[in-house]
Amino acid sequence: MVNTIHTTIRIRLVFLACNILCAGLCAAQVSFQSVALEGSLVGPRTLFHATLFNAGPSCEVSLDGDVRTRDGQTVISFQAEPFRLAGGVRSISASELVMRSFSYGPSEAGESARHFQRLPGGEYHYCLRLHAPQAESDDEYCDVLSVDE
């Protein structure tokens, strides 16, 4: 009888521990609702505005991205420090994040963006990636931006 009680208690403790550990994970689906990249101001604090959606509980996410010319040359690349994303919809801009790294590429467009803080005229491909290590899925938002000369 005592062994049965101890076994039952152990099983319940293991089940409780599993529930506590699994509840601490971010079982969310994080995604982009929209992203706007401004070609007229391309610095670490002005690069983008985005609307994010987290279908689960608050969790830590990281965000990185790049801007490339039509032929694939890097113009800008960045990685933000991880931040907490609450459940639901949240609008963010580059100015709200701490950039872990932000660099201009060695291409002519990258050098121009570094000096003038704007993209020279042309067509660009940009991608932002949202990653939550504990999430069910990550998301990537890519689009094309045309800048008039």
Side-chain angles (χ1 to χ4, degrees):
M1 179 79 152
V2 172
N3 283 341
T4 306
I5 292 173
H6 286 316
T7 302
T8 303
I9 291 172
R10 284 185 187 144
I11 291 172
R12 288 184 178 173
L13 287 174
V14 168
F15 182 72
L16 179 63
C18 286
N19 281 340
I20 290 170
L21 289 173
C22 292
L25 297 178
C26 177
Q29 288 186 339
V30 294
S31 61
F32 290 101
Q33 296 293 312
S34 65
V35 174
L37 185 85
E38 297 296 330
S40 58
L41 280 173
V42 291
R45 304 200 44 82
T46 58
L47 184 60
F48 68 88
H49 299 281
T51 302
L52 309 176
F53 177 67
N54 179 357
S58 176
C59 63
E60 189 168 272
V61 297
S62 58
L63 181 70
D64 66 84
D66 55 57
V67 178
R68 296 181 180 274
T69 61
R70 274 182 80 183
D71 55 348
Q73 294 179 338
T74 300
V75 179
I76 295 169
S77 63
F78 74 90
Q79 181 179 17
E81 288 287 337
F83 60 96
R84 299 260 350 134
L85 181 61
V89 177
R90 177 178 175 200
S91 293
I92 64 165
S93 64
S95 64
E96 298 172 47
L97 302 177
V98 175
M99 293 295 172
R100 177 178 284 173
S101 65
F102 187 95
S103 61
Y104 297 96
S107 67
E108 185 178 321
E111 288 298 319
S112 179
R114 177 192 331 267
H115 293 295
F116 300 110
Q117 296 293 293
R118 71 179 311 272
L119 294 173
E123 188 172 284
Y124 300 90
H125 183 260
Y126 67 93
C127 290
L128 272 70
R129 291 167 290 279
L130 186 61
H131 175 68
Q134 316 87 325
E136 293 174 10
S137 65
D138 296 334
D139 196 23
E140 180 177 58
Y141 184 99
C142 296
D143 204 354
V144 174
L145 174 69
S146 293
V147 177
D148 294 331
E149 295 198 32

